[in-house]
Amino acid sequence: MRNSLNFFTGSISDNLQKSSGHSWLVPALSALGLAVTSFFIYFALNASMIADDFSYFNIYMGFGNPVVYVADHYMTHNGRIGQASLFAFTFAIFGKASVQIVPILLLFALISATAYLLRSFFPLGHSPWLVSHSVAALLVTGALVLSPSMFDSYLWLTSSTVYLGGLSFTLLAYCFAAYLLRSGVTPIRVALLSVLTLWAGMFTEPLAVCTGILGFAMAVWGFYCRNISARLAGLSLWVGSMAAFIIVYFSPGTAVRRRDLGIDVSLNKIVETIPYNFSLFFNNSQWWGYLLIAVAGIALYFFSSQTSWVRSSPLRLLATSGAILFLYFFGHMLVSMMGIPHLAFRSFSTPAFAVGICSFLVVLAAMSPVVKHSSEAFTLRFAGLLLALALIPGWNYIQTISSALTLRSDHLELREKSIAEQVEAKGQGSPIEIVPVRIALVSQAVDLNPNTRSQIGWAVRSISEWYGLNPDQISIVTEPSDYCLPESPLLKPELICSQVPAP
């Protein structure tokens, strides 16, 4: 059955023997992967409630039961049972701390699933567990950096549970499919893959459609090659994802949402907004992510064991990269635009991962001619240069993100304390002043606006309710004069200190 992976795998180069004289490389790669992962864990530990988090928590506490919450969500809000379940059950277990814990769990799931797929498709001859997880950590965090808004994709709870939640379970389904290709199929395994794919597809419709297309292509290839494992695994992915799409798209909640939003989508409108959506993605992606992915690609090439794929046919890597880009970037975007033409930052979570994986495969393909015409020492020096280039923007990125998260967390704490003091001094039902605490990072997640700007009605209601206040009895004031940060492309222009008007 191992030959069933030959279409996708093969190998990269004979660098295992070379690595024996560089025992420090595995610890160095592991330390780099651990360091980058630790920073993203630190980001998550400093995350805080924002936007829909308030309203979702309020609704859940009104029901007090995750099953009832999920049922109501499906009937009245949208059909994404997977996201509603992940949100409700983690809140039932962790409470408000789920804002910090869930992103970390999703990060671990993405890294673990990616590492498994790397070991399946690129056999590693030296410390495969450490190398695969270290490379996966660089690949996953690099893809998060490429997202137009890392905050919206990763740290905004009600957003990350939709897009990263769906991506995590989809990758787990792909891991199980790879296991079936390698180990063979049984009726129970096929049924389990169908159920896992069904669950993964009930997070977001575009990803379910992409999984269905991949499953159908795999099934066709299985029929063509008379490979029963690929045939049944592909059919399981196709059937599970299409069933999920039907359950979500034709749910009562999704129908209500389409009616309330009054979305009017036409082919002309989709075509007209394609340039806007492309610019939205690429203008807000941080190139530091490409450096992390390049280092990951070089590392995987160096530690891969002897096979024939990259050395004999790097074009296959490029073809695979093109197929992934076409399906999970262009295809995912087009399917998303059929729901709403102007995409939100969070809608690019999966396309960002697609771009990251494609860049990774391009690096692998480019390494073959580089290694043929250079020495091992040159390859290592080149990787070191990329790492050095990544350090300065990487440190600036980490400092800016950390400062913005800490700034908002501290001011949220001050706001909560101020409200409690006012209620104690004035009594319940008296007018209460509330300070807006927006996120300084580039993001579409909202809080209360300063009193000089118009307010978002649902945000006012949900935030007031969270604090136990009547929306009609609150007075929204301006943001504190010190609520700003030094200039950075990661920040909203109006919250850069030089742009904040003096009080």
Side-chain angles (χ1 to χ4, degrees):
M1 288 296 178
R2 291 182 182 275
N3 291 333
S4 62
L5 283 175
N6 285 345
F7 177 79
F8 299 98
T9 67
S11 63
I12 302 189
S13 76
D14 188 14
N15 289 309
L16 177 61
Q17 289 79 7
K18 295 180 180 180
S19 66
S20 59
H22 299 281
S23 58
W24 55 271
L25 289 177
V26 173
L29 178 63
S30 302
L32 178 61
L34 180 62
V36 175
T37 304
S38 298
F39 284 121
F40 277 79
I41 292 174
Y42 177 77
F43 295 159
L45 292 175
N46 285 275
S48 52
M49 294 172 59
I50 195 168
D52 304 60
D53 296 346
F54 290 101
S55 58
Y56 276 51
F57 284 159
N58 290 336
I59 294 171
Y60 176 87
M61 290 189 295
F63 291 116
N65 183 297
V67 176
V68 177
Y69 170 87
V70 172
D72 178 79
H73 189 96
Y74 184 77
M75 298 300 295
T76 64
H77 189 62
N78 65 50
R80 293 171 175 172
I81 298 176
Q83 184 270 340
S85 300
L86 180 61
F87 177 89
F89 282 94
T90 52
F91 183 73
I93 297 171
F94 303 115
K96 184 182 173 182
S98 59
V99 173
Q100 293 87 32
I101 294 174
V102 170
I104 296 174
L105 295 178
L106 294 176
L107 179 66
F108 285 165
L110 289 169
I111 291 174
S112 298
T114 302
Y116 182 87
L117 292 173
L118 290 175
R119 292 196 302 274
S120 298
F121 296 146
F122 304 96
L124 299 169
H126 191 59
S127 303
W129 194 92
L130 275 177
V131 170
S132 64
H133 279 80
S134 301
V135 170
L138 297 177
L139 183 53
V140 169
T141 54
L144 288 174
V145 174
L146 293 181
S147 302
S149 171
M150 187 275 290
F151 182 88
D152 288 8
S153 293
Y154 176 54
L155 299 175
W156 178 6
L157 180 64
T158 47
S159 171
S160 65
T161 49
V162 175
Y163 299 99
L164 289 191
L167 186 59
S168 298
F169 281 100
T170 298
L171 288 180
L172 290 175
Y174 293 166
C175 289
F176 194 49
Y179 172 77
L180 296 189
L181 290 174
R182 187 177 66 251
S183 303
V185 295
T186 65
I188 293 178
R189 289 176 178 178
V190 170
L192 287 175
L193 179 57
S194 298
V195 171
L196 180 55
T197 306
L198 173 68
W199 176 255
M202 291 193 293
F203 279 80
T204 170
E205 302 93 314
L207 190 54
V209 172
C210 292
T211 301
I213 295 173
L214 176 65
F216 184 79
M218 184 184 295
V220 170
W221 175 71
F223 279 104
Y224 176 77
C225 297
R226 298 181 181 179
N227 186 317
I228 187 67
S229 296
R231 189 185 310 169
L232 293 179
L235 287 173
S236 296
L237 291 173
W238 179 61
V239 171
S241 59
M242 291 301 95
F245 177 83
I246 291 171
I247 291 171
V248 173
Y249 188 79
F250 295 102
S251 68
T254 301
V256 170
R257 185 173 180 82
R258 286 198 299 268
R259 182 196 66 203
D260 291 345
L261 293 177
I263 297 173
D264 179 23
V265 180
S266 65
L267 181 60
N268 287 338
K269 187 172 291 187
I270 291 175
V271 172
E272 290 172 359
T273 54
I274 287 177
Y276 166 81
N277 290 321
F278 271 72
S279 64
L280 190 69
F281 177 83
F282 289 106
N283 289 345
N284 290 283
S285 292
Q286 300 299 312
W287 62 273
W288 179 54
Y290 291 109
L291 291 178
L292 288 177
I293 292 167
V295 172
I298 294 172
L300 185 73
Y301 185 96
F302 187 79
F303 286 108
S304 294
S305 58
Q306 170 65 32
T307 58
S308 61
W309 188 10
V310 173
R311 185 163 56 179
S312 63
S313 182
L315 290 178
R316 186 178 296 179
L317 278 173
L318 295 177
T320 304
S321 173
I324 292 173
L325 188 68
F326 180 80
L327 179 59
Y328 288 96
F329 184 78
F330 298 108
H332 190 283
M333 281 180 57
L334 288 175
V335 175
S336 300
M337 290 164 64
M338 292 178 185
I340 180 168
H342 290 84
L343 299 182
F345 285 151
R346 56 189 179 274
S347 300
F348 290 100
S349 300
T350 295
F353 271 79
V355 171
I357 293 170
C358 292
S359 302
F360 177 76
L361 295 177
V362 168
V363 170
L364 288 178
M367 284 302 295
S368 183
V370 169
V371 170
K372 282 182 179 179
H373 297 90
S374 62
S375 64
E376 173 193 347
F378 174 82
T379 304
L380 292 175
R381 284 196 294 268
F382 182 70
L385 176 62
L386 285 179
L387 182 59
L389 290 174
L391 289 179
I392 295 177
W395 183 245
N396 290 337
Y397 182 92
I398 290 165
Q399 282 188 312
T400 301
I401 298 291
S402 300
S403 299
L405 295 174
T406 301
L407 181 71
R408 184 167 194 274
S409 179
D410 290 345
H411 279 75
L412 275 179
E413 190 174 326
L414 291 173
R415 178 166 79 179
E416 188 170 345
K417 182 179 178 181
S418 171
I419 291 172
E421 291 175 348
Q422 291 181 72
V423 169
E424 183 179 359
K426 301 178 181 179
Q428 194 72 34
S430 301
I432 302 295
E433 291 186 349
I434 298 185
V435 178
V437 187
R438 294 178 291 163
I439 181 66
L441 297 170
V442 171
S443 168
Q444 292 170 333
V446 299
D447 193 85
L448 301 175
N449 286 324
N451 57 6
T452 55
R453 296 171 55 179
S454 60
Q455 297 296 328
I456 303 171
W458 66 262
V460 174
R461 291 190 299 272
S462 59
I463 293 174
S464 301
E465 183 180 345
W466 173 256
Y467 292 113
L469 304 174
N470 185 335
D472 296 327
Q473 294 178 320
I474 66 170
S475 173
I476 301 173
V477 299
T478 191
E479 286 167 322
S481 58
D482 64 340
Y483 196 78
C484 62
L485 290 168
E487 185 173 358
S488 168
L490 296 170
L491 302 177
K492 295 173 180 173
E494 66 268 25
L495 289 175
I496 292 173
C497 290
S498 60
Q499 305 296 323
V500 175

